[in-house]
Amino acid sequence: MIHVNCPSCYGSKTEVFFRFEKAPVQSVVVIKSKEDSLSLPRKDITLAFCHDCGFIYNSSFDTDIDMYTGGYEDQQGFSPTFRKFITSLTSRFIEKYNVRNKDIVEIGCGKGDFLALISELGNNRGTGIDPAYVEGRLAPDNRLKFLKEFYTEKHGELPNDVIVCRHTLEHIHATGAFMNTVRNSLTPESRTVLFFEVPSIVRILKSNAFWDIFYEHCSYFSPGSLSRLFRKNNFEVFDLYLEYDEQYLFIEAGMSVSPEKKHPLEESVDELWSMSKQFAESVSKKLDEWEELLNEYKIIGKKVVVWGGGSKSVGFLTHFDRLKVIKHVVDINPHLTGNYIPGTGLRYKSPMFLKEFKPDAVIIMNGIYEQEISSMLNEMELNPRLHSL
Ligand SMILES: [Zn+2]
């Protein structure tokens, strides 16, 4: 099915500007055998741009795929770099809105790590809503409860001083309908603060980060398009900012008092369209450069591994898997070790595996972890060439 009208603002001035063929439809699903990894369905990603609101989405996305009930591994908290970042960010948010002894609802809470953190730091109570929630990953905490379901209007009855939604909106195809549900779950008098986080498409477009475009992410937001979606649903944007090397985009919002107020970080629809056209032109050059490098490694018989599992590695390997030069993917999440990477048939290894494998080159899927990875390699007395995305 082709989604012609914009799923965010329902406008009809949409235009396809880029296509990736045959991407594995899932990237962080738990896969236990090589056969299941290789037989994972592949479908095209057809990026369309909405000239009304600037929303970018996969216009050929198959909304019938069940992404989340078969096991989902997306915890980031095993990295010290990430833990430091998320703790400082959460403390800042708590200070800003005095989120202490409050009730938090988190839509798409994953394994509950963030809810546990914000409850711990501000002595808050929390309800996490996520069909992919897994019991037993967190230390027992009677301030927290979890509902294994999708968010609906009835969840508005839960006490909610804050509604958190991190790294979830980009997985939702019908973003306009979803924000309408969030809006309708609240009363007009509500003082609830919304705290949402998504990857920023601006960074992806500007740095030709093709590995950040994968099937599970059907929706891509910029500061401008995200704010326009919130305003269309009668929310006022309180603040908007980029974090983590500008990879993550945050929005804080609430019931509208000044509905038309714009934030300085918002770019115009035309500016985003120029970036999108530029991306479409230059990304194939970037793909060629990587292919050349990997081919060189292959010819001289070097051992190459990817460090960093999950979506980025699937997004990266999708393009180079056929070269058969990358033999292993390493990740520090112990729940990934031994599982298979969707689509490629490769298996996740723990970092300790490298001690014996002695790689000649390590491709780091997120440059922000370079220092952390480099010191782990040093401790193992390894000195491979590092390439960071
Ligand atoms: Zn639109």
Side-chain angles (χ1 to χ4, degrees), residues 6 9 50 53:
C6 171
C9 77
C50 171
C53 74

Side-chain angles (χ1 to χ4, degrees), residues 333-377:
N333 177 350
H335 301 291
L336 286 175
T337 308
N339 289 342
Y340 288 81
I341 291 126
T344 63
L346 299 177
R347 208 167 185 187
Y348 284 115
K349 305 282 183 183
S350 87
M352 283 312 286
F353 162 80
L354 297 183
K355 210 170 169 173
E356 160 201 339
F357 183 70
K358 298 189 179 26
D360 299 298
V362 175
I363 305 172
I364 299 172
M365 291 293 107
N366 192 340
I368 206 155
Y369 299 119
E370 183 168 321
Q371 201 146 26
E372 181 180 317
I373 290 170
S374 162
S375 54
M376 285 174 84
L377 290 166

Side-chain angles (χ1 to χ4, degrees), residues 73-87 111 113-114 117 166 244 248 331-335 369 372:
E73 276 310 333
D74 58 346
Q75 278 177 297
Q76 292 178 294
F78 299 101
S79 155
T81 308
F82 183 78
R83 277 205 302 275
K84 197 172 153 201
F85 157 72
I86 197 71
T87 305
K111 309 292 183 279
D113 302 74
F114 183 78
L117 179 69
R166 298 181 51 249
Y244 225 49
Y248 301 152
D331 198 280
I332 59 169
N333 177 350
H335 301 291
Y369 299 119
E372 181 180 317

Side-chain angles (χ1 to χ4, degrees), residues 151 153 163 176-190 194 230-236 254-256:
Y151 189 79
E153 283 179 27
I163 294 181
F178 173 76
M179 285 312 295
N180 192 250
T181 300
V182 175
R183 178 66 176 77
N184 289 340
S185 72
L186 301 172
T187 60
E189 304 75 43
S190 162
L194 304 188
F230 273 66
R231 276 199 293 274
K232 192 175 171 66
N233 288 282
N234 298 318
F235 289 114
E236 176 181 339
M255 284 298 168
S256 188

Side-chain angles (χ1 to χ4, degrees), residues 10-24:
Y10 311 115
S12 57
K13 284 189 273 170
T14 61
E15 179 175 353
V16 169
F17 69 97
F18 197 70
R19 188 173 276 115
F20 274 142
E21 288 176 354
K22 296 194 179 74

